[in-house]
Amino acid sequence: METRDRFNRPLRNLRLSVTDRCNLRCQYCMPEEHYTWLPREHLLSFEEISALVDAFIDVGVDKVRLTGGEPLLRRDLPALIRLLAAKPAIGDLALTTNGVLLAEQAEALRAAGLQRITVSLDTLNPERFTALTRRHDLDRVHTGIAAASSVFGALKLDTVVIREVNDRELIALVEYARTVHAEIRFIEYMDVGGATHWTREAVVSRAEILETLEQHYGRIEPILERHSAPAERFALPDGTTFGIIASTTAPFCADCDRSRVTADGMWFRCLYASEGTDLRAPLRGGASRDELSGILRTGWQQRADRGAEARLASRTREPLVPLSTLKSNPHLEMHTRGG
Ligand code: SF4
């Protein structure tokens, strides 16, 4: 049964983090040297995640996206995908990955029932990749994208655009996406928890991205479609489509039907929320499916979050959470919430 929040937004879309660990250290998400990890014994088992998803289904969820950290680091992930794919109410089962482990896992993910895949790719330049991620894995990402392209047919690429870092690669990335049958989405750099190096000056806005692409390709047409997905989509003169996720300069909170659960069962109703709801305690305390969905229904009905809009309106725009606070509360980190 559908549940709506204070702004009449339904709860439909669940982003499920299956681990807070990652094998990359992207500057816009994990720029620090050391992190406080979630205790392993707190991580939900696949059966616990499946039980939680059943409760979310009861309050209207029909889309699930698996995230991390890096979800492909979670051992035997296809077993979880099989559990979720077996639920008729879940009409859309997707995953976001950095692609480093994708080549060896693409077929097993597909065979388990995964429907869609998004790969994060911020640059085509090996030196820049290493500067951005502090790893040397660009080749493995390319191999992973090629494997996913052949196994899934179509895929999405996500690129976080940062000024003076990769903002001169927009056209090269559009061209690359064509070659791997992918639709690329350019994401504005967000001042979320964990983005401790974020500055307003480093943000390349939706308007600038469109201007750069229009100067090169000619007139760009917006694709008018009614949906709650974060990406606005556009078409180039030759019909090639791409997206822009402009959470920083043009927030889309009005239609937001998304919420997130961390790998240890903390439920956040907004990416910018400072407080979450612990679902692990009632789950491990023997709460029934109805009791769990009751917690979700009440929690969602009280939801009034419009975090990105509030950030846009705030005068003193600097990183959302100070480093010292992140150290004491890893749930405030974007890599723990799954972006
Ligand atoms: S900032 Fe919060 S309310 Fe706004 S779109 Fe993101 S998750 Fe939704």
Side-chain angles (χ1 to χ4, degrees):
M1 193 185 75
E2 190 172 77
T3 309
R4 292 186 172 257
D5 71 6
R6 296 266 176 87
F7 293 105
N8 206 30
R9 300 169 294 184
L11 171 48
R12 289 229 184 88
N13 220 309
L14 179 62
R15 297 175 72 96
L16 266 179
S17 170
V18 294
T19 178
D20 59 332
R21 309 292 172 131
C22 191
N23 47 4
L24 294 182
R25 291 290 180 273
C26 301
Q27 279 300 308
Y28 51 82
C29 177
M30 298 181 80
E32 304 300 330
E33 273 313 308
H34 305 291
Y35 284 91
T36 307
W37 304 112
L38 301 175
R40 287 199 186 281
E41 66 278 11
H42 286 183
L43 299 190
L44 300 183
S45 68
F46 292 167
E47 290 66 31
E48 288 174 324
I49 293 174
S50 177
L52 267 188
V53 170
D54 287 339
F56 275 102
I57 287 170
D58 292 346
V59 292
V61 163
D62 59 9
K63 297 184 185 72
V64 171
R65 177 172 289 274
L66 300 176
T67 66
E70 170 48 41
L72 301 189
L73 284 172
R74 181 85 188 238
R75 203 169 301 134
D76 200 18
L77 191 62
L80 173 63
I81 291 170
R82 271 190 293 280
L83 283 175
L84 301 180
K87 301 178 191 296
I90 300 298
D92 182 12
L93 184 54
L95 178 142
T96 300
T97 171
N98 63 29
V100 173
L101 301 172
L102 188 51
E104 48 266 35
Q105 298 193 33
E107 287 202 9
L109 296 169
R110 185 70 170 144
L114 187 68
Q115 294 164 344
R116 297 189 301 122
I117 200 155
T118 300
V119 183
S120 304
L121 178 70
D122 302 312
T123 178
L124 300 170
N125 176 302
E127 288 76 37
R128 193 168 294 136
F129 183 91
T130 300
L132 255 172
T133 67
R134 286 171 283 166
R135 301 291 187 276
H136 306 281
D137 294 314
L138 184 56
D139 288 347
R140 296 179 72 185
V141 175
H142 281 310
T143 316
I145 288 171
S149 183
S150 67
V151 169
F152 286 86
L155 66 160
K156 294 216 163 63
L157 298 178
D158 278 358
T159 300
V160 175
V161 184
I162 304 178
R163 196 178 306 284
E164 302 299 326
V165 175
N166 60 348
D167 55 338
R168 292 198 181 83
E169 287 191 71
L170 302 186
I171 291 148
L173 285 159
V174 168
E175 295 305 318
Y176 171 78
R178 258 195 246 272
T179 65
V180 292
H181 316 296
E183 179 172 293
I184 193 159
R185 292 103 60 85
F186 296 112
I187 304 176
E188 290 182 343
Y189 188 8
M190 287 190 285
D191 58 337
V192 289
T196 50
H197 294 187
W198 185 92
T199 65
R200 184 63 187 83
E201 295 68 36
V203 175
V204 178
S205 71
R206 168 190 179 279
E208 291 173 276
I209 294 168
L210 285 172
E211 191 189 336
T212 302
L213 295 176
E214 198 138 58
Q215 272 170 9
H216 181 80
Y217 290 106
R219 189 173 168 70
I220 290 174
E221 290 296 335
I223 298 173
L224 304 175
E225 47 195 3
R226 186 124 186 76
H227 61 64
S228 64
E232 239 184 307
R233 298 177 64 233
F234 302 87
L236 299 177
D238 69 355
T240 299
T241 59
F242 68 94
I244 298 178
I245 299 178
S247 180
T248 301
T249 65
F252 34 79
C253 302
D255 299 316
C256 178
D257 63 358
R258 286 174 298 284
S259 76
R260 296 161 173 84
V261 173
T262 62
D264 64 345
M266 193 63 86
W267 180 39
F268 289 96
R269 291 163 292 173
C270 174
L271 185 56
Y272 286 87
S274 53
E275 302 288 322
T277 303
D278 178 12
L279 300 176
R280 187 179 76 250
L283 188 64
R284 290 187 176 173
S288 68
R289 179 171 174 165
D290 285 350
E291 286 164 335
L292 289 170
S293 54
I295 294 169
L296 300 175
R297 188 170 295 109
T298 309
W300 191 258
Q301 287 168 343
Q302 291 162 352
R303 181 201 190 215
D305 298 74
R306 299 175 82 119
E309 285 176 1
R311 293 299 296 167
L312 184 59
S314 69
R315 297 243 165 291
T316 55
R317 196 143 194 195
E318 49 205 32
L320 182 68
V321 187
L323 189 52
S324 53
T325 312
L326 290 170
K327 294 273 174 243
S328 60
N329 182 357
H331 285 122
L332 297 174
E333 295 268 11
M334 168 137 95
H335 70 91
T336 307
R337 290 180 187 198

